[in-house]
Structures are given as C-alpha cells and as structure tokens.
Amino acid sequence: MKQISKKQYGIPFLGLLILMMVMLSGCGGQKKEEQTEQKIITCVDDLEGARIGVQLGTTGDIYASDYEGDDAGTKITRFNKGSDAIQALKQKKVDCVIIDEQPAMAYVSKNQELSILEEEFAEEEYAMCVSKDTPELTLQMNEALNELKEDGTLDSIISNYIGEDTAGKSPYISPEEIERNGTLTMATNAEFPPYEYHEGDEIKGIDVDMARAIADKLGKELVISDMAFDSIIIAVQSGKADFGAAGMTVTEDRLKNIDFTDSYTTAKQVIIVKSSDLAGKLSIKDKFYQSFIEKDRWKYIPKGLLNTLIITLGAGIFGIILGFILAIIRVAHDRNEEKSKMIKMLNGIAKVYLTIFRGTPVVVQLLIMYYVVFASVNVNPIVAAVLAFGLNSAAYVAEAIRAGIMAIEIGQFEAGRSLGFTYGQTMMYIIMPQAVKNALPAMCNEFIALLKESSIVGYIGLVDITKAGDIIRSNTYEATMPLFTVAVFYLIIVMILTSLVGRLERRLKKDAR
C-alpha cells in the first residue's frame, strides 16, 4: 500500500506545502520576518553569497548557476513558475530574483514593494525551438519570420504589448482569405507576460501573435499547448508540438538537443529586489474579486475540476479492472501447488509490473507515457493521463485485493471446491465478495490518492484544478485566495468520496448479516 501519511486525506502534497508557507507568512509571520536576515542587493557584484530565486530551466537559471557552489555560499532556489519566485522574494525567502525584463516589469507593477535594479544581469536573444528532425519547418519558419520583420508586422506585434504609448493600439488580426491546410502546434508556458499569458479563455502575448502570424504565412491553423516551461523542449523533441516559444534563449546545451529559428527580439535578464516592506494590503473581498471575478478568472476552476474528475474516474476504473486481473494471477500462483508454465510466466510478468510501477514516481510515468510511448501518436493528453494514472493505480489495487484474498482462510476455498464449485466459481461467489470487503478501505485510500496525484497533469499541457489555481496566481500574483479555493475543492471531493465509501461499507456489513 502507498504511504497513507501524506496521501490518505486532504489536498495534493505540493499544494499543501505552498499553502502552509502562505499561511505561515500571513498569520503571525511578522516576527519570523524580523528575524530573517536578508542581504541587500544593489548591483550584480552583490549576488555572491546571496539567496537567488530563478524559474527552473530558464536562462536566468542557467546564468545564475555559475554562482552556485562558490566560496561565498551563494544559494540558488529554483521555482516552477516566476510568480512563485516573486512570492518567495516578498516573504524574504530569497534575496533577489533573476528573470526576464518584461515579465519583471509586470511583476513589479503589481507589487509596489519590489523594484528592478538599474544594472542588467545579462542580455539575450529570443528564438523559437524546432525539432532537429524537421529542418524544413525551421527553414519555412525563418522565411516567414523574415517577411514579418521586413513588412513591419513583428514590430507592430511587439509594440502592441510593450510601450506606454503603443500598448494595445496595434493588435494582430489574421487575414480572412487565407486557405489553411493542416495545423501548426505551439508549445508554450502561458505564465510569462507579456510574451504569453492567460486572459479569459484565451492565451495571448507577443509570442502567441507572432506564432499566429507565422502560421498564417504558412497556411496553417495555430494550435497552442500550454505546459510547464521545462516540458516545452521535450514536447518539441517528441513531436507533440511543432515548435516551442516562451521567451527562449539559444544556449550551447539546448543546441545539442534542439534547433532554433532566427532571433525575433532582444531581451535582458534583470534582478528584482525587495526595496520596501510597504506593500499594499488587499481586503479579503478585494482578493476574491481580483482572483475570480476580474476578467472572469473563475472559469478556470470548473474547467480544471472537470478534467480532474474525468482523469480520476477514468484512471480509477481502469486501475480497478487491471488490478483485479493482476491480483487473481498472483493469488493463483501462490495458492496452487502445481503451477503451470503459463501461471509462472504470468506471475513473473505481474511481479515485474508491480515492481516498476510502485518503484518509480508517477510524474515520471506520466511523462514517459505522453512523450515516449505516444511520441509518434497525436493522442489526447487526457487519454495519456488516464492510462498513466490507471497503470500506476492498478499496481496498488492489485496488492490491496491480493491482501484481501490472502486474509481469507484457505478452508473456505477448499470448502467451495468440495461442494463442486469450479475454481472460477469459488473465487467469484465465495472468495471475492469477502476480499473486496477486506480491501475496500485500502482501495478507498488509493482512489483518494489518485485524485490528488492528478494535480501533476500540467506537465503535459492539461488544465486540472491545481493548474487552474496556478493560472490565477500567475495573473494576480496573489497566492492565498486561489490556493485556499483549490484546497477546499479537493477537501470537499475527498469528504464526499469518504462518505460514499462509508455508506458502501455499512451496506456490505448489513448484507453480510
């Protein structure tokens, strides 16, 4: 069985950890903040010995890594999202954050206690990544990109998002007369304004409009797949996306695995510091409005909740069916003294299966399922998630059922056979009803764990309820309200499941009388 201590009840472990950090910082956290020594960063030279926050896999992460392990004791803390790094800076968990200039400006504009140092950390050029297996696509995209540069379309797109006087004045509009033949899939991380970000039901930004303009030039329909930043190159390599665009910089390490188009803009890596403790305090009402009512952000929650329930239910049913089959194979091997070659072979396969799926993290299994097993198949991410979680769940269900069967005295099995029942009839009518009753609590725990494990599907571009909360956080830079909301939804679902299982247990006990 899985460890019940962190999976049996409640909300996903990572979400719980973030939630606890937010609560501690907001409730009675002032005394801790006063005791925390925060190094003052005024220039690049001050980074030695500092606690630096970066977004995982970005060029800020790459450049900052040069300081890691130095004699001054510089510590690099890597976050999945830039907004999480900013939250850590506000709570004095890091001394500064290194990130791209334009997202930095967006963060600072909504957090008045933060500021950007005048001295830039590094200068870089952005490009789109394309698989090495599709050099013709790289060539076509470069040609389209050059046309956009020459006719001024690219400058117009950039100025529509950047600049006090030009922002919002030149939105890109696709020509209506284009004949489209096929799709062009873009992998991105829509938590990087103004290059890509969520606004209502759409993903907008410089990279998005540029990609749409390139798709128009190529006569393709643009399809956007939102995922974790560090999954973008994997998605492009595996063919799940045709190209990736998310403020990506060309580096020597990346060039070993992926190709890049020509550069489309120059950017800077800057340093954000906490310059003041005077932050604007929002009331609970204002936080609720900002998180859910403003720009209809509440719509992410039901969409994410639906995906969570679909994945959990589908994976649960699949896991129970496969788990029963595996359990029967294992019991047939353990209970029969004269074992046929077929039973021995099937038992060997089942043991290897259980070892692999119980011995490796489910997030790794999910990524392998989507980016390796279905590398050449354009499968719906929900299908890949159901299969990955179902296969993982089956390993635990199998052992729960096997334990339930083995707990039944062998005499009952022998009594059934002596009455003329076949092996299958004995298992179906005598053994299995009791085994299910014995294994029901463990299976309930597994289903609850499965519900919470689904919170990692953002790695393959799916929006579940946890990802919905992340989207809201990345837009509002306010963590408390969306995290509490996500936690409450998980808790309500778990309580409903626990209540239903309790009723089922009471019904089974009543029928047994």
Side-chain angles (χ1 to χ4, degrees), residues 79-93:
F79 299 88
N80 285 329
K81 288 174 283 294
S83 56
D84 289 343
I86 295 301
Q87 192 70 26
L89 176 61
K90 291 167 63 177
Q91 296 171 1
K92 298 186 178 181
K93 292 178 174 62

Side-chain angles (χ1 to χ4, degrees), residues 193-388:
Y195 291 96
E196 41 272 317
Y197 59 92
H198 286 271
E199 185 171 292
D201 293 331
E202 295 182 83
I203 296 177
K204 295 184 175 181
I206 294 171
D207 289 345
V208 177
D209 283 359
M210 177 188 62
R212 185 168 288 111
I214 289 174
D216 291 342
K217 292 284 186 182
L218 301 181
K220 304 286 186 180
E221 186 72 35
L222 181 67
V223 177
I224 302 173
S225 181
D226 181 25
M227 60 187 66
F229 182 83
D230 53 344
S231 294
I232 293 175
I233 290 179
I234 299 174
V236 175
Q237 286 177 317
S238 64
K240 292 299 176 187
D242 296 309
F243 71 100
M248 302 187 74
T249 305
V250 182
T251 66
E252 291 183 8
D253 288 333
R254 288 174 178 172
L255 281 172
K256 295 175 183 177
N257 302 296
I258 204 82
D259 280 340
F260 283 88
T261 63
D262 295 336
S263 171
Y264 59 87
T265 190
T266 300
K268 300 175 183 177
Q269 289 285 320
V270 298
I271 303 171
I272 304 178
V273 297
K274 187 172 183 180
S275 56
S276 168
D277 287 328
L278 300 175
K281 297 293 183 181
L282 295 177
S283 66
I284 294 178
K285 180 181 177 182
D286 291 335
K287 288 181 179 180
F288 182 85
Y289 179 84
Q290 182 189 44
S291 297
F292 304 114
I293 307 303
E294 188 177 66
K295 297 185 179 180
D296 291 334
R297 293 191 179 105
W298 65 270
K299 291 182 179 179
Y300 296 118
I301 299 295
K303 179 182 177 181
L305 179 60
L306 178 61
N307 284 339
T308 294
L309 295 177
I310 290 173
I311 293 168
T312 302
L313 184 60
I317 294 172
F318 178 63
I320 289 172
I321 294 172
L322 182 57
F324 265 91
I325 295 172
L326 292 169
I328 291 171
I329 291 172
R330 299 275 284 124
V331 170
H333 178 272
D334 295 343
R335 284 281 173 88
N336 288 322
E337 294 183 2
E338 297 182 4
K339 303 174 181 65
S340 66
K341 290 184 178 180
M342 179 62 72
I343 287 294
K344 289 182 179 179
M345 183 184 72
L346 291 175
N347 183 66
I349 294 173
K351 289 179 72 174
V352 171
Y353 177 93
L354 295 175
T355 300
I356 291 173
F357 280 91
R358 292 196 301 165
T360 55
V362 67
V363 64
V364 176
Q365 296 167 17
L366 176 65
L367 293 174
I368 290 175
M369 178 64 68
Y370 189 65
Y371 293 118
V372 179
V373 176
F374 290 112
S376 58
V377 181
N378 189 20
V379 68
N380 189 312
I382 289 182
V383 175
V386 168
L387 289 175

Side-chain angles (χ1 to χ4, degrees), residues 86-149:
I86 295 301
Q87 192 70 26
L89 176 61
K90 291 167 63 177
Q91 296 171 1
K92 298 186 178 181
K93 292 178 174 62
V94 296
D95 301 318
C96 64
V97 172
I98 297 176
I99 201 164
D100 300 65
E101 182 181 37
Q102 292 302 323
M105 292 171 65
Y107 292 139
V108 170
S109 68
K110 293 194 176 183
N111 296 277
Q112 65 185 44
E113 71 272 36
L114 305 181
S115 62
I116 301 172
L117 297 185
E118 290 185 8
E119 183 182 4
E120 66 186 52
F121 180 67
E123 190 169 287
E124 58 189 358
E125 292 187 337
Y126 288 165
M128 294 169 281
C129 65
V130 189
S131 172
K132 288 183 178 292
D133 296 329
T134 56
E136 66 284 351
L137 178 60
T138 306
L139 181 61
Q140 291 172 0
M141 292 183 67
N142 279 335
E143 290 176 352
L145 188 59
N146 287 332
E147 290 180 20
L148 295 175
K149 290 177 180 178

